[in-house]
RNA sequence: ACCCCCGUAGCUCAGUGGAUAGAGCACCGGCCUCCGGAGCCGGGAGCAUGGGUUCGAGUCCCGUCGGGGGUGCCA
């Protein structure tokens, strides 16, 4: 799909050669104002010195020497300080419609990232409660990004890192136990730093109704201090902690699958710990001289590898900080051979990039492969009024609640509508509204409307001999230009690591389709023109469906 | 104290170093005997501020002001 650009670039280079510029610099750009054409080049300005000519004069000379295939590109002249402008040939644009229909779901695919192995880690919420809306944004962004990377030919794995080890298991077990005791009519105080969410009480009530509850009741009775009880051969606290975590992990998986997000791997911290991976990482760091002791604690010399300070990896009590297993975990990513490793984290982890990057450098890895994407927070609104959320009081809005209320389509689309670097205002009432101020429905409506045109025409597929050369109306050509942009937009999303541009493009395609629809009658008296326009309609549908699918949003045939 | 993100139209936001800075919402006025009016057409206003780099800066660098978030052997 890039053939027009490639062709023009080569033609400009050889024209410059002919003029006598040996080291020709050719950059193609897109004029901001469509009046200036589809492609512009500043070649005459940049190469003016090399040619020893005034920019405008050089531009004229280039145009004289330039040989371009007029079925692809048409020069429109010199403008401003020396820009040379070009337009896509109608023939080229018309061929896009045919191409899209032929390629169908493969439209937009490319091999730009072929051979690249990419890993994206996202959500990775602690298994101490249900997923909340913050995770939902990460899920939408991470999953769409991976879909885009795949369309561009990369292999991309999605991964969830499960923090199922460390003292939060204990803490969760204690909180769970307290709630369980309450169901047995025994008063209990949730410990400092414990989990107070209603969802713990919920699973405790479930447990009380479970057959394992019998065993638990017996165990509690024999000991005077219920905390010291053992059940199924281990302490009641750790048994409960693991049980609660497993429950939450499978709930996370269900929530994500329902949100159309499938993780290739759920990487458990407990596996790392069992293999002593954190201590192996420490040994490796020590071997490389990257560890020093101070006041009984062990520090990693991250400051020597680009971070602002050194960080504790083992406390003076001899316990690893969370950073050590994290290092071990990231080391596995590098050792698994990925070319690009992306972590999507919340804005509170902004120290992570230099810190983890430095640790990886200290271990001899190429830290440039690791990228940390800091996803900004979301503010939930209802008709413009903020929805109060307090994690401490356990009043979080669950991802499932939000998705149930607004639907997967609206939720995923809304989460992508802002750049990842911008905090997102999510208005629940707006997302639910089926009206023209809701962008999701605007885009989906365009797709459904096309389907209805085919129904109305009584035709399933556009005919093969579909005279696309008849697509010459300005609105038709503008629509074709939009469809051509799909590969550009995908490439942009991949480079910026942000699917947001896809939602902007989708809206533009939908807008241009509605304009075309208004100005050009599809079902008409000329069979040839009808065939050509049906082809354009199908091509638009293909493009919309691809874009929506990359966002994880459905493309309905009727609404 | 330090660190990160952000200041563009009344509101929410686009804007790969290039030409006269764009959309949506809201507001006003038009358009259905016509393929889905969940649509189309028309109408106004703006780059927080001071420097610097450049032939050229909303975009890159430094300062100031304003908003949001975070941090000091907790995860």
């Amino acid at each position: 799909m890039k053939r027009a650009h490639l062709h023009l670039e080569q033609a400009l280079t050889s024209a410059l050669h002919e003029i006598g510029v040996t080291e020709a610099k050719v950059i193609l750009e897109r004029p901001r104002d469509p009046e200036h054409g589809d492609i512009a080049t500043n070649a005459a300005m940049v190469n003016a010195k090399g040619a020893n000519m005034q920019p405008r004069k050089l531009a004229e000379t280039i145009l004289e020497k330039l040989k371009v295939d007029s079925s692809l590109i048409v020069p429109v002249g010199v403008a401003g300080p020396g820009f040379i402008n070009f337009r896509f040939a109608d023939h080229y644009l018309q061929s896009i419609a045919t191409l899209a229909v032929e390629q169908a779901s493969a439209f937009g695919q490319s091999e730009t990232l072929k051979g690249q192995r990419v890993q994206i880690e996202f959500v990775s919420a602690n298994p101490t409660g249900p997923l909340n809306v913050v995770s939902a944004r990460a899920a939408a962004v991470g999953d769409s990004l991976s879909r885009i990377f795949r369309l561009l030919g990369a292999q991309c794995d999605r991964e969830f890192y499960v923090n199922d080890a460390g003292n939060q298991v204990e803490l969760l077990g204690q909180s769970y136990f307290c709630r369980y005791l309450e169901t047995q009519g025994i008063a209990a105080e949730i410990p400092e730093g414990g989990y107070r969410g209603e969802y713990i009480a919920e699973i405790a009530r479930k447990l009380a109704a479970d057959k394992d509850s019998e065993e638990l009741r017996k165990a509690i009775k024999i000991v005077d201090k219920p905390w010291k009880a053992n059940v199924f051969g281990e302490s009641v606290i750790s048994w409960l902690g693991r049980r609660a975590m497993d429950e939450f992990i499978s709930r996370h998986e269900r929530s994500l699958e329902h949100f159309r997000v499938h993780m290739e791997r759920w990487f458990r911290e407990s596996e790392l710990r069992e293999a002593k991976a954190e201590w192996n990482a420490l040994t490796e760091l020590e071997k490389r001289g990257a560890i020093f002791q101070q006041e009984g604690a062990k520090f990693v010399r991250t400051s020597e590898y680009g971070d602002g300070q050194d960080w504790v990896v083992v406390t003076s009590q001899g316990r690893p900080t969370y950073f050590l297993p994290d290092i071990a975990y990231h080391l596995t990513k590098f050792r698994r051979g990925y070319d690009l490793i992306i972590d999507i984290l919340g804005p509170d982890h902004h120290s992570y990039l230099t810190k983890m990057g430095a640790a990886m450098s200290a271990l001899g890895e190429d830290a440039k492969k690791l990228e940390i994407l800091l996803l900004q927070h979301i503010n939930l609104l209802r008709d413009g009024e903020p929805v109060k959320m307090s994690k401490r009081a356990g009043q979080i809005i669950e991802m499932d609640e939000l998705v149930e209320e607004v639907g997967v389509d609206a939720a995923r689309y809304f989460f992508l509508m802002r750049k990842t670097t911008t905090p997102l205002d999510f208005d629940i009432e707006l997302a639910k509204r089926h009206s023209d101020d809701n962008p999701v429905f605007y885009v989906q409506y365009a797709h459904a409307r096309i389907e209805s045109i085919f129904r109305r025409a009584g035709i399933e597929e556009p005919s093969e001999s579909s005279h696309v050369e008849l697509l010459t109306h300005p609105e038709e050509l503008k629509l074709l230009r939009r469809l051509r942009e799909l590969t550009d937009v995908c490439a942009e999303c991949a480079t910026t690591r942000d699917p947001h541009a896809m939602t902007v493009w989708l809206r533009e395609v939908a807008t241009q389709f509605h304009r075309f629809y208004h100005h050009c009658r599809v079902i008409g008296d000329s069979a040839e023109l009808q065939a050509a326009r049906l082809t354009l309609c199908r091509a638009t549908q293909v493009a919309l469906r691809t874009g929506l699918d990359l966002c994880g949003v459905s493309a309905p045939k009727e609404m």
Side-chain angles (χ1 to χ4, degrees), chain A residues 328-358:
Chain A
Y329 172 51
H330 278 80
L331 191 56
T332 73
K333 299 190 188 193
F334 280 83
R335 303 270 155 100
R336 280 184 270 165
Y338 288 109
D339 302 299
L340 176 62
I341 298 161
I342 298 177
D343 285 9
I344 300 183
L345 301 173
D348 47 322
H349 289 80
H350 63 74
S351 62
Y352 219 78
L353 175 58
T354 49
K355 199 168 143 178
M356 187 57 77

Side-chain angles (χ1 to χ4, degrees), chain A residues 134 344-350 373-377:
Chain A
V134 180
I344 300 183
L345 301 173
D348 47 322
H349 289 80
H350 63 74
L373 222 97
L374 295 180
L375 193 56
Q376 293 296 315
H377 280 311

